[in-house]
Each structure stands twice: as structure tokens, then as C-alpha cells.
Amino acid sequence: MLVQPLRSPDFRRATASDTATEPKVAVLLNANARKVDARVVKSLSHVVPEQDLFLSRSPLDARRIVQTVLERGYPMVFTGGGDGTFMGFVNEVLHQVGPRGRFAGQSAPRFGILKLGTGNGIANHVNASSTRGDGILNDVLRARTGEVPGYRAMDLLLVDGQRAPFAGLGVDGKVLNDYIWVKENLGKGLLKSVLTGSGGYFSAVACKTVPHYLTHSTWVECEVVNGQTSEAYRLGADGRAVGEALAPGETLFRGRLMMAAAGTMPFYGYGFRMFPFASERRGFMQLRLGQVKPGQVLANLPKLWNGRWFPEGLHDFHAREVTIRFANPMPFQVGGDAAGYREQVTLAVAPESIELVDFNGAMN
């Protein structure tokens, strides 16, 4: 049995007996993730054969594991370690099966999420079980016995050649940086449980981000232009298109903004429903432009968190590709990871979608 979380990954080729059992499910764990400890690894080793359980400690490990997974032809792969672990694995898989990859033309496996990260945005999207009790073990067991309720096709953003479920410029990048500061500087000792996770995000917004913008300008001149290949749609508070379709190349917005962000799924981390209409139109992202004051955000934070706040200053669109240009450099985040400052970025829906194991029971 695989019982140590820092043991090197097993890259042995599958034997005939390994490949005879269906359905095959591989489990990839990020050994550097805080929630991937010896207890988790030992528990999973009781329900997953050793040759199907992998531990990654570096990008090189992950690349080798992807090659092993594709060589063995696993139809389903679970990742554990958070959204970053998941997207790193997905990007490598899609690169390997792409036109110039080693496994060009091979189908990508379906992907499952184990709720072993911090934000767990994608895990929330597919209702993955929590770490309480035997939740994650039951998710894997159901997959191994063919009892998955359904699968959900999910589009991804293409940002600077990498795929991600969301990205943004402006206040959301500032919130991310503020959350990291709160967690690293204040979330210790007795306050660790309070200032980590959703509590940390609420604290960062209420005690750091909003106070900063009460004394500093939040709004910067911005232009957002639709891509050249598809129409875009302005959305109302119910998520339905409002008015005429916006032509390719048309300017979607010009004026002062505090934020420009887009996603192909509803959630940021910790259940924050930033893009409530992201999954309503296949092949499109939800673009959200913000013109709201810090005091408004603070007063309506619970509604915003749950995707139920639609003031006049929030502008929502469905689009396939947009170019965002700010007059000044703005905090930039991709998939919840800080990515420096940018004045301009192009966000597009990636040409390929992926299929997720969905414990909500949705079937696409």
C-alpha cells in the first residue's frame, strides 16, 4: 500500500492485469498541498490500487504522471490539491493530446475533483464531497464502480496560452492579494481558522480592500472590445440577453471601471458566485465589468457573494473573446493566482472544452 505522502510517484507501466479492470480511475495528489497529508494518502490507498495512485511534488512529476496516465489510457482522472493543481494537470493533458503533443489526437480523460484545496472553486461547481467523514473516498469509489451521477462539459478561458476557469483585472486582483496578506500575516495561531478560507476573504474585503479604496481611486479609464469571430450579448439581471446582439469588433464598453473579469464557471474560491451566468451559454464566457463604489460592495457583500446582487454599476455580457485595455496597470489574476499588473489582456474561450465528473447529477 502507498502510505507515505512524500514517496516518489509510481511510473511503472500497467501490466495486463492492471488494464483489465474497468472503469479505470487514476488519482493524482499534489504532495505539497496543505490538505494532502499522510492520513489522506493512507485512506485513499485503501480504495485505489497502488498503480493508480500518484503523488506529484513538482511540475516535472506532474508532466511524467500525465504521460503515464495517457499511456495507460485512463478514462477518468481525479486530482487533489486545489484549483491550481487541477488546472496545471489539465493544461498538461491538453498540451500532450494537442496537435503538437506526444499523444496528438488521443482523447483527454474525464476529470474529477477531490476537495483538497483551499478555494475549491471547481469542486464547488460540481458539488464534490467535503473532507468530512469519508466524503472524498466515496467520490472515488463511486467513480471506480461506475456510479457517477453525471458529467458536465466545461469551457475554459485561454489567457496568455494557458487555460483557466476565470481571470480578471482590477479590484478582484487586489482582493486576492489582500487575502494572501491577511492569511500570511494575521491568519496564525488562534485566528488561523477564522482568517483562512471564506472568513479570510470577507476579512480582506471588509478590513483591507474596501478601506484602501475609500482613500484611493478605484476607477480607471478602460475600453473593452469584442473579438472578431462572434457576436456578444449584454445580459440582464436574469441572465438573459438584453437588446440586439453586439457585432464582432464592436466596443462593448468605454469608460471608467474598477474591475474587468471573466469566467466560464460561476465560482471563485470559497463559494463566491462571481459569475452566476457563466454556464448558461455553451462556448461563451461571462464578462463582468464593475462600476460600483466600495461602500456599496461592503453593504451588499453577502448578496454579491451569493450571485444575487445586480446594481446598475455591474455590466454583464456573454462573449467568446474580448480585449480589455486599461489606462493604467491594474492588478491581474488568472485562476485565483496573482499574475502581476497588466494594462491590456485578451481573454478568449479555449477551442476545446473538458468533461467533469459532476456529483450534482447533471449530464451533458
Side-chain angles (χ1 to χ4, degrees):
M1 288 293 183
L2 182 60
V3 297
Q4 297 299 324
L6 299 182
R7 177 173 169 176
S8 298
D10 178 1
F11 300 122
R12 290 184 295 106
R13 291 182 179 274
T15 64
S17 60
D18 289 337
T19 58
T21 304
E22 294 289 346
K24 295 189 298 180
V25 177
V27 176
L28 165 65
L29 300 177
N30 179 356
N32 300 313
R34 182 170 57 86
K35 292 185 178 180
V36 178
D37 55 20
R39 181 188 61 83
V40 167
V41 176
K42 185 174 182 179
S43 296
L44 282 167
S45 72
H46 291 308
V47 299
V48 180
E50 182 175 353
Q51 70 269 14
D52 300 334
L53 182 58
F54 302 90
L55 282 166
S56 172
R57 299 170 62 185
S58 68
L60 179 59
D61 280 351
R63 191 172 303 117
R64 290 172 173 171
I65 291 169
V66 167
Q67 292 174 358
T68 300
V69 165
L70 293 174
E71 284 174 354
R72 295 182 183 177
Y74 288 97
M76 191 180 303
V77 181
F78 277 80
T79 67
D83 293 345
T85 298
F86 174 76
M87 287 312 310
F89 189 76
V90 168
N91 271 287
E92 184 62 31
V93 167
L94 295 180
H95 171 72
Q96 292 284 353
V97 302
R100 298 181 181 180
R102 178 178 174 183
F103 299 90
Q106 183 172 326
S107 297
R110 286 167 163 164
F111 299 98
I113 314 294
L114 300 180
K115 210 168 189 177
L116 291 169
T118 49
N120 291 309
I122 302 172
N124 287 328
H125 185 44
V126 297
N127 200 35
S129 298
S130 73
T131 54
R132 297 172 185 167
D134 294 330
I136 62 172
L137 300 183
N138 288 334
D139 284 357
V140 174
L141 280 172
R142 281 189 285 177
R144 284 180 51 79
T145 56
E147 297 176 7
V148 172
Y151 302 95
R152 178 186 294 271
M154 188 175 87
D155 295 304
L156 296 168
L157 291 181
L158 193 60
V159 189
D160 294 341
Q162 294 295 305
R163 295 160 187 82
F166 55 82
L169 287 160
V171 172
D172 65 330
K174 179 77 167 67
V175 169
L176 173 67
N177 290 332
D178 288 345
Y179 166 67
I180 293 172
W181 186 92
V182 166
K183 184 173 67 170
E184 292 181 350
N185 291 276
L186 303 178
K188 300 176 181 178
L190 295 176
L191 294 177
K192 183 174 182 179
S193 61
V194 177
L195 296 180
T196 301
S198 58
Y201 262 103
F202 270 94
S203 299
V205 171
C207 302
K208 195 166 174 63
T209 310
V210 170
H212 171 83
Y213 284 127
L214 287 173
T215 56
H216 297 74
S217 175
T218 60
W219 295 16
V220 176
E221 288 293 329
C222 182
E223 179 183 63
V224 183
V225 178
N226 189 27
Q228 297 292 334
T229 60
S230 173
E231 295 177 328
Y233 304 88
R234 187 182 302 275
L235 305 179
D238 59 357
R240 296 182 180 181
V242 175
E244 298 294 325
L246 302 161
E250 184 172 346
T251 298
L252 304 184
F253 179 89
R254 183 182 288 116
R256 300 178 71 201
L257 287 177
M258 62 184 293
M259 178 200 74
T264 54
M265 70 168 187
F267 296 100
Y268 273 3
Y270 307 103
F272 183 4
R273 194 179 288 270
M274 180 66 170
F275 306 107
F277 313 128
S279 303
E280 300 300 317
R281 190 188 298 264
R282 285 295 313 280
F284 284 74
M285 71 181 92
Q286 180 184 343
L287 171 70
R288 171 160 279 191
L289 310 177
Q291 279 185 309
V292 291
K293 297 178 180 179
Q296 289 178 282
V297 173
L298 190 58
N300 295 277
L301 190 54
K303 288 183 179 179
L304 174 63
W305 201 274
N306 293 315
R308 296 186 290 105
W309 187 47
F310 304 102
E312 291 185 4
L314 279 185
H315 310 283
D316 290 319
F317 301 83
H318 276 151
R320 290 187 187 273
E321 179 182 332
V322 295
T323 297
I324 302 166
R325 302 184 184 94
F326 274 97
N328 301 324
M330 301 289 277
F332 184 40
Q333 61 84 12
V334 179
D337 291 329
Y341 284 73
R342 295 283 288 274
E343 294 181 42
Q344 177 174 323
V345 67
T346 295
L347 306 177
V349 178
E352 63 285 284
S353 62
I354 59 174
E355 277 205 322
L356 302 177
V357 177
D358 187 0
F359 292 101
N360 288 301
M363 183 74 77
N364 294 128

